[in-house]
Amino acid sequence: MTVAPPDSAQGSGDTRLIPSYTFEEFVIGPHNRFPHAAALAVSENLGKAYNPLFIYGPVGIGKTHLMQAVGHRVLQRDAKTRVLYVTAQQFMSEVIELLQAGNLNALRERYRALDLLLVDDIQFLATSEATQEEFFHMFNDLHSAGKQIIMTSDRPPKMLTTLEDRLRSRFEWGLIADIKHTNLETRVAILRKKEGHLKGVRLADDIRFYIASRLKSNIRELEGFLRRVQAYSQLNNQDVTLVLVKEIMKELLPPEE
C-alpha cells in the first residue's frame, strides 16, 4: 500500500469515506438509538463531546456507517476539516511499509495533522506490537490536541485482551456505545430504505416482512439479498413476487420449519 501525502486527509482529498454512509441514510431503531445520538453529538462538537467515541457490536450492523456519517457531517459543515477513515489492517500495513522504508515520520505527520480520525475494527491492531506502539503515541498526540477519535470494534475495550493495557484504558476515556442486533421492524425499515437505491426493486409489504423475518444476522445480508433479487428479476424478466423471493431464499437458508 502506498501512503498518501499528508494533505490527502483534507476534506477535498482522499478521506476514504463511502458516499452513502451518511446520517440521512442511517436507519434508527431501538438497537442503535444511543450510539446514533452519541455520533450526532460528536459531529456537532468535534473533539469535545465524547473523545474518543468507541462503538462496538456484531459484524454488519452499521458501525462503519455510523462512524463515517460523522465524517460526512463535519465535512458538510466545513470542507476544510481534515478527516480520514482507516481500518486497523490498513493502518498496520502503512506502519510496516514505512517502518521498512525508514520513513515513519511521513505517517506520523499525516495522522497527527488530522481533525477527525476514524478507525474501523480496532481489535485487529492486536497482531502487531510495533503498530500498537505507534497507535499509542498517535492517540495521545491527537487526544491532547483536542482532535476527535472514533473507533469501532466487535467487542468492548475490556474484552480486547490481546491489546496492551495502556491502549485499552485510553479507549475507555470517552464514551463506549454498543449497537445490538436489529429487530424485525427495523429490518423492514432498512429494506425499504435500501430499495430506494436499487433500480427496478419495489417490494410489497408481505415480501419485506418475509425477508426481514428470515435474514436476521446483519444489515449487509439484507442488502446483499436485495441485490440478488434485483439480478434475478432483471435477468429473467420476472416480477418480484413472494414466490420468487422464497425460491431465491432457499439457496441461502434451509427450508422453514
Side-chain angles (χ1 to χ4, degrees):
M1 174 185 295
T2 301
V3 179
D7 64 351
S8 70
Q10 297 284 346
S12 58
D14 179 19
T15 61
R16 300 177 183 170
L17 297 178
I18 297 172
S20 62
Y21 280 8
T22 63
F23 281 117
E24 290 75 17
E25 291 297 321
F26 191 81
V27 177
I28 305 168
H31 70 295
N32 61 23
R33 198 174 303 280
F34 175 63
H36 174 270
L40 204 55
V42 166
S43 72
E44 294 170 354
N45 204 2
L46 212 59
K48 297 175 182 177
Y50 307 109
N51 197 19
L53 175 60
F54 191 100
I55 304 171
Y56 74 92
V59 172
I61 55 169
K63 301 187 299 297
T64 301
H65 186 151
L66 189 55
M67 176 170 64
Q68 291 200 15
V70 177
H72 283 296
R73 180 59 60 87
V74 300
L75 286 171
Q76 287 172 2
R77 191 174 292 115
D78 182 359
K80 294 181 180 179
T81 307
R82 292 163 295 187
V83 177
L84 181 66
Y85 165 84
V86 64
T87 66
Q89 291 166 316
Q90 286 172 329
F91 181 76
M92 283 194 302
S93 296
E94 292 177 354
V95 170
I96 292 168
E97 179 182 325
L98 290 177
L99 188 62
Q100 291 172 343
N103 191 23
L104 267 177
N105 282 335
L107 178 135
R108 291 166 182 163
E109 289 175 9
R110 181 189 188 200
Y111 279 84
R112 289 165 187 170
L114 295 173
D115 298 308
L116 171 60
L117 174 62
L118 310 168
V119 186
D120 216 351
D121 294 324
I122 197 70
Q123 70 272 12
F124 292 123
L125 212 58
T127 58
S128 167
E129 288 185 13
T131 307
Q132 287 191 46
E133 179 74 18
E134 200 60 39
F135 191 82
F136 172 79
H137 293 297
M138 187 183 67
F139 181 101
N140 286 343
D141 289 344
L142 287 172
H143 193 274
S144 62
K147 305 301 179 65
Q148 182 70 48
I149 304 165
I150 304 179
M151 295 169 284
T152 71
S153 173
D154 60 355
R155 287 157 281 168
K158 287 187 184 301
M159 293 183 64
L160 299 175
T161 54
T162 51
L163 286 179
E164 296 176 3
D165 290 344
R166 59 180 182 169
L167 271 178
R168 284 187 285 135
S169 67
R170 277 160 176 74
F171 294 169
E172 295 175 331
W173 280 0
L175 180 67
I176 301 171
D178 68 314
I179 299 183
K180 301 176 177 65
H181 284 293
T182 56
N183 61 16
L184 177 64
E185 291 76 14
T186 304
R187 292 196 297 277
V188 169
I190 290 169
L191 282 170
R192 188 177 288 113
K193 173 77 76 172
K194 298 295 183 184
E195 284 173 45
H197 301 291
L198 293 179
K199 183 179 179 181
V201 178
R202 293 298 178 269
L203 305 180
D205 287 341
D206 61 335
I207 296 176
R208 288 194 195 104
F209 274 96
Y210 174 78
I211 295 171
S213 66
R214 296 283 282 150
L215 301 179
K216 305 174 184 179
S217 62
N218 62 63
I219 297 167
R220 291 178 197 165
E221 189 178 47
L222 288 174
E223 188 168 13
F225 186 78
L226 266 183
R227 292 188 182 279
R228 196 180 184 95
V229 169
Q230 179 193 37
Y232 267 75
S233 173
Q234 291 180 349
L235 293 175
N236 297 313
N237 197 25
Q238 287 182 263
D239 292 333
V240 179
T241 64
L242 185 58
V243 173
L244 175 64
V245 168
K246 286 185 176 182
E247 284 298 317
I248 300 171
M249 189 72 73
K250 286 179 182 178
E251 300 175 10
L252 299 179
L253 297 177
E256 295 175 271
E257 293 181 4

